[in-house]
Every structure is written in C-alpha cells, then in structure tokens.
Amino acid sequence: MRELHPIDSLGLPLYKEVKSQMVAALSAAEWKPGEAIPAEKLLCVRFGVSIGTLRKAIDELVAENILIRQQGRGTFVTVHSRGPRQFRFFNYVSHDGKKDYPQLTIVHFSKAKADKICAAKLGIAVGAKIFNIITVRGFDDAPFIVEDVKLAAAVFPRMTEALLRSRPVSLYNQFQNDHGINVVRIEERVSATLASAEHAELLSIKPGTPLLQVHRVAYSYNDQPVEYRVAYVNTEHYEYSRSVA
Amino acid sequence: MRELHPIDSLGLPLYKEVKSQMVAALSAAEWKPGEAIPAEKLLCVRFGVSIGTLRKAIDELVAENILIRQQGRGTFVTVHSRGPRQFRFFNYVSHDGKKDYPQLTIVHFSKAKADKICAAKLGIAVGAKIFNIITVRGFDDAPFIVEDVKLAAAVFPRMTEALLRSRPVSLYNQFQNDHGINVVRIEERVSATLASAEHAELLSIKPGTPLLQVHRVAYSYNDQPVEYRVAYVNTEHYEYSRSVA
DNA sequence: AAGTGGTCTAGACCACTAC
DNA sequence: TAGTGGTCTAGACCACTTA
C-alpha cells in the first residue's frame, strides 16, 4: 500500500518523517506552548499515514517531553510555566528528599561579547553579542545557588532587563512566553570548587566553602543551543539529584 | 475478541500485564543476561496477545535498558560486561569530553553490620550483615575516585574477597555474572565537600581539596535496592556528566 | 533461504473529558 | 452525546543476520 516517495528516499522510517514535520510545525510556532495540537485522526489525514504510525511519532515527542497527552482532552505542547514540568530541569533536593522551587533574584544584567568558551557552547562567533545575567536562588534569606547565565542576543532579540525582571519565576518559562524559545534538553558537567569572595558574599557563606560548579548548556528543538550557564551551589542543605534508568 | 480474565481485573492494560510476566521470567533467571529471549511470534502465543501488544511490552523493557533489540538477530537480556552498556552508570568525563573507563582497585573488604542510614538505603534491618568494600578508580598512578560500597549479605550470599578480586572489571558486571543480580537503575545525590586526610592519601592530593561526594543507591528489578555506595571524586581532571531530555 | 526484529496498515472498542 | 486519546487486533511487507 505504501509507495516510495522522493521524500523518504533518505531511508528514514515514515514515522520519523512525520515526527520531523511535527517538529517543524512546532519550530514555526504553528502549534504554541500550552495549546492542543490537532486530533490524531486529523493528523493522520494531514500526513497521509495510519493511526499507528502517527502515534509512534507522537510517542517519541512525548518521550522527549515536547508534547503531553491527556486522555479525553487532547495532546498539548509542553509548557514550563506551571506544574511538575517546571521543575524538570531543577535538580536540587533538600536532605530529606523534598523538592521545592526557590525564589529567583536577578542581581545583574548586561550586554557583553562572547568569549571563546561561551561562543563554542552557544554555537556562535567569538565576539558576537550576548546577554550576561547573574541570578541568586534560595529560600527567604537563605540563598544557595548563584548562576551566571549567557544568552545569544541573536536568539533573544527582544530581551531587556525590564522584561526579565517583570516575571521572576522561571527563566525557561520566560524564554517560552516572551521569546518563543522552548528548552527541551540540557547537558551538565559538575565539579567541586571553593567559594570565591564574590560568591561567598552572594551566598552568605565563608570564602573557601566547598561548592558545586555546574556547567549547563540548554538546547531547543533540533539540538540548537540557546543558553549557557554556570551555577555555584552551596550543598550544605540542598543536594544535586539525579536518576539513571 | 479480548475477554475479561480474572488476571486483569485490576484494571491494568494487557501490555503491562505481559511486561510484568516478562520481568518475572527475568527475575526467575529463565532468561539470563546475554541470552536471547524467545522470538516475538513465540511470545505472542505464550502470552496470548497480538504482536502489537507484545511489542509495546518489549518497548518499555527496552526503554528501561532491561532488554536490547537487534534487528535480524533477536532480543537480548542486557549485559553490563562489555560495550557501551558497561559505562551506562559511569558518568565521569575528562574536560575535553572523552569518556574512558578507569582501572578499579579493591583496597578494603570486610563484613560489617548495617547502621541506620545504610539499612534504610538498602531496605534491610539495622544490624543486618553487610559487605563493606572500598575501591579506588583512576588511570595509571592517577586515582581520582574513592568509593565506599555497601552490599546486603543476604542478597550476595556467595560474595568473598577472593571472588571480588578475581575479576576487577566492573562491580555490576560481577553482580550479574557471579550473583545473578542485574542493576537496572541508580539514584544519586551529589554534594561538595573537602578531602579528609584518608581520602587525600588515597587520591594523592592535599587534605582540604574540594571533592564531589556522590551518594548512590542501585536498584534491580521491581525497585529492589542492592547496593549503597558513597564516592569521593577529585574533579581536577574529570567531571561528573549528565544529560536531561 | 530461513528467521529475526522494524515498520505500517486499517480498522475496532474502551476510558475519559467537556459540553 | 460527541470528541479525545488509550489499547488492541491480525495481519502485511521490509531490512537485517546467520548459515
């Protein structure tokens, strides 16, 4: 029944082709965060495949946390704004295992130029314009994370300090709502270091206290890097958590 | 066509029931690590389901890294002995991103009794017999990880120091080959600390050097905890790596 | 050539949600 | 009640491996 089209002469399975067309629709903001995508039957017609093939494509997008299915309601584009999804990339827990989302404070915002390391991580040219943001996270008067965030200005053309301060909830939530950027994957490298005088002051600890240093690159669809940040974490009360299956 | 059997009156989907029967077969060592499980058509007959339902059960076991499919060859029970699978739970990379598997040295082996924390992590009684193993990992004369491993003696009845030293490759490989224990999932908590005198000596560094402290619990099928270890890592040349999709 | 898993079809019925 | 996703069937043909 299936015929060879030029489009799949690359040897790609049909469901992979359907998947990449769906990613294209997401990238083009045809389907926006929080919205439902068309019903499965409609998509079957649109892509000219059977329900099983379509569902296999959606299965992968759901596994990648790009879409969320809700029985009886529809299939939705993932939003980082609320619910447990907001915490997916926040991996710190208190010693008793509880996970809370701390307050976010912007302590610095400036324009700068990418140095060699930053350019490599963000996939841009050395000297390209970037935004440099420093944040502190913690509970009440007990900050425990300082982050140095770098964003390519070309990717966030409308970013301003006022906009950033207007919604101090989650950076990724703001990327999504104000800039149409969806973070779907992160990569991190963790090492141990000692608190500098600057970090010690921001974290209300003594210089020389052991800290985690967490380098993170965040990616949008198609493995496009959109953020590079370095976090310094005081693990006296909170630890970095992970699970590998 | 499908009838209501007493067995799925729990409301579980049929493929979940098939999956748990397959986990039972794995736990009972009917299918052993490295071996192929029966062909899909045979399993369809055995479980009385269609190919699509059976494949959905296998899909989940593959996603959990319990089985591995190889087109044209068969579906196999995961082995930790060789290939990239051996490194799945080893998450340290050099600064240039390369991943190598370091040498393993056993520096201590003894029997002990579980303290409160260890008992909680391993799901055993306080005072129950455990094995206490201390290892060092590194390249040549450059060790960078010290690990304090605790195992429930009841789970590893045949464990001896000689057996452990006989095959110093991968602990999880040995769990699988010599004890029939398959580690399928780990959970880790990472914090920053300073090197004690003992750790400094084992790692050839100065006391007070910042180290990662990595608490890990390893689980077998059905979320049974089988190992609790605390690692101390010198991140001068190697970092802890992770990816979240 | 025979056997394996990989993909795909064209439906069916069920469970849940919203109106 | 209508529409959604969730599950399941009973095949088909393809790609790959082994002999």
Side-chain angles (χ1 to χ4, degrees), chain A residues 14 43-50:
Chain A
L14 188 51
L43 291 173
C44 288
V45 174
R46 166 162 170 177
F47 297 121
V49 299
S50 76

mmCIF file of all heavy atoms in Angstrom, chain A residues 14 43-50, chain C residues 9:
data_model
loop_
_atom_site.group_PDB
_atom_site.id
_atom_site.type_symbol
_atom_site.label_atom_id
_atom_site.label_comp_id
_atom_site.label_asym_id
_atom_site.label_seq_id
_atom_site.Cartn_x
_atom_site.Cartn_y
_atom_site.Cartn_z
ATOM 1 N N LEU A 14 8.915 6.103 8.001
ATOM 2 C CA LEU A 14 7.836 7.066 7.792
ATOM 3 C C LEU A 14 7.523 7.841 9.073
ATOM 4 O O LEU A 14 7.293 9.050 9.053
ATOM 5 C CB LEU A 14 6.604 6.318 7.290
ATOM 6 C CG LEU A 14 5.412 7.135 6.839
ATOM 7 C CD1 LEU A 14 5.827 8.199 5.832
ATOM 8 C CD2 LEU A 14 4.356 6.218 6.238
ATOM 9 N N LEU A 43 -4.524 14.535 12.024
ATOM 10 C CA LEU A 43 -3.111 14.460 11.668
ATOM 11 C C LEU A 43 -2.832 13.280 10.736
ATOM 12 O O LEU A 43 -1.978 13.378 9.852
ATOM 13 C CB LEU A 43 -2.251 14.370 12.934
ATOM 14 C CG LEU A 43 -2.227 15.655 13.780
ATOM 15 C CD1 LEU A 43 -1.501 15.416 15.087
ATOM 16 C CD2 LEU A 43 -1.580 16.805 13.011
ATOM 17 N N CYS A 44 -3.573 12.189 10.928
ATOM 18 C CA CYS A 44 -3.437 11.047 10.022
ATOM 19 C C CYS A 44 -3.716 11.484 8.593
ATOM 20 O O CYS A 44 -2.997 11.128 7.657
ATOM 21 C CB CYS A 44 -4.423 9.931 10.389
ATOM 22 S SG CYS A 44 -4.003 9.057 11.883
ATOM 23 N N VAL A 45 -4.779 12.259 8.424
ATOM 24 C CA VAL A 45 -5.145 12.740 7.092
ATOM 25 C C VAL A 45 -4.071 13.695 6.570
ATOM 26 O O VAL A 45 -3.594 13.578 5.446
ATOM 27 C CB VAL A 45 -6.522 13.452 7.121
ATOM 28 C CG1 VAL A 45 -6.827 14.083 5.765
ATOM 29 C CG2 VAL A 45 -7.607 12.469 7.530
ATOM 30 N N ARG A 46 -3.677 14.637 7.434
ATOM 31 C CA ARG A 46 -2.687 15.638 7.025
ATOM 32 C C ARG A 46 -1.381 15.008 6.543
ATOM 33 O O ARG A 46 -0.807 15.440 5.552
ATOM 34 C CB ARG A 46 -2.405 16.569 8.201
ATOM 35 C CG ARG A 46 -1.168 17.439 8.022
ATOM 36 C CD ARG A 46 -1.186 18.597 8.976
ATOM 37 N NE ARG A 46 0.092 19.302 8.988
ATOM 38 C CZ ARG A 46 0.313 20.411 9.703
ATOM 39 N NH1 ARG A 46 -0.656 20.915 10.452
ATOM 40 N NH2 ARG A 46 1.481 21.001 9.668
ATOM 41 N N PHE A 47 -0.904 13.987 7.270
ATOM 42 C CA PHE A 47 0.380 13.395 6.914
ATOM 43 C C PHE A 47 0.225 12.151 6.035
ATOM 44 O O PHE A 47 1.213 11.588 5.566
ATOM 45 C CB PHE A 47 1.171 13.045 8.180
ATOM 46 C CG PHE A 47 1.530 14.240 9.021
ATOM 47 C CD1 PHE A 47 1.111 14.329 10.331
ATOM 48 C CD2 PHE A 47 2.284 15.280 8.483
ATOM 49 C CE1 PHE A 47 1.443 15.430 11.120
ATOM 50 C CE2 PHE A 47 2.621 16.389 9.262
ATOM 51 C CZ PHE A 47 2.194 16.468 10.575
ATOM 52 N N GLY A 48 -1.027 11.729 5.854
ATOM 53 C CA GLY A 48 -1.251 10.585 4.980
ATOM 54 C C GLY A 48 -0.720 9.276 5.535
ATOM 55 O O GLY A 48 -0.206 8.439 4.800
ATOM 56 N N VAL A 49 -0.848 9.096 6.857
ATOM 57 C CA VAL A 49 -0.393 7.848 7.470
ATOM 58 C C VAL A 49 -1.506 7.252 8.319
ATOM 59 O O VAL A 49 -2.511 7.916 8.582
ATOM 60 C CB VAL A 49 0.855 8.066 8.363
ATOM 61 C CG1 VAL A 49 2.017 8.613 7.547
ATOM 62 C CG2 VAL A 49 0.530 8.989 9.529
ATOM 63 N N SER A 50 -1.306 6.021 8.746
ATOM 64 C CA SER A 50 -2.320 5.391 9.586
ATOM 65 C C SER A 50 -2.123 5.818 11.039
ATOM 66 O O SER A 50 -1.082 6.349 11.414
ATOM 67 C CB SER A 50 -2.244 3.879 9.472
ATOM 68 O OG SER A 50 -1.143 3.402 10.207
ATOM 69 P P DT C 9 1.046 3.680 7.204
ATOM 70 O OP1 DT C 9 0.888 4.549 6.021
ATOM 71 O OP2 DT C 9 0.987 4.229 8.547
ATOM 72 O "O5'" DT C 9 -0.016 2.512 7.089
ATOM 73 C "C5'" DT C 9 0.083 1.579 6.014
ATOM 74 C "C4'" DT C 9 -1.032 0.559 6.110
ATOM 75 O "O4'" DT C 9 -0.762 -0.361 7.198
ATOM 76 C "C3'" DT C 9 -2.420 1.146 6.373
ATOM 77 O "O3'" DT C 9 -3.323 0.640 5.410
ATOM 78 C "C2'" DT C 9 -2.771 0.654 7.776
ATOM 79 C "C1'" DT C 9 -1.954 -0.627 7.895
ATOM 80 N N1 DT C 9 -1.568 -1.007 9.278
ATOM 81 C C2 DT C 9 -1.958 -2.224 9.769
ATOM 82 O O2 DT C 9 -2.625 -3.016 9.137
ATOM 83 N N3 DT C 9 -1.540 -2.487 11.046
ATOM 84 C C4 DT C 9 -0.784 -1.665 11.864
ATOM 85 O O4 DT C 9 -0.459 -1.999 13.002
ATOM 86 C C5 DT C 9 -0.414 -0.385 11.290
ATOM 87 C C7 DT C 9 0.398 0.576 12.082
ATOM 88 C C6 DT C 9 -0.820 -0.123 10.031
#
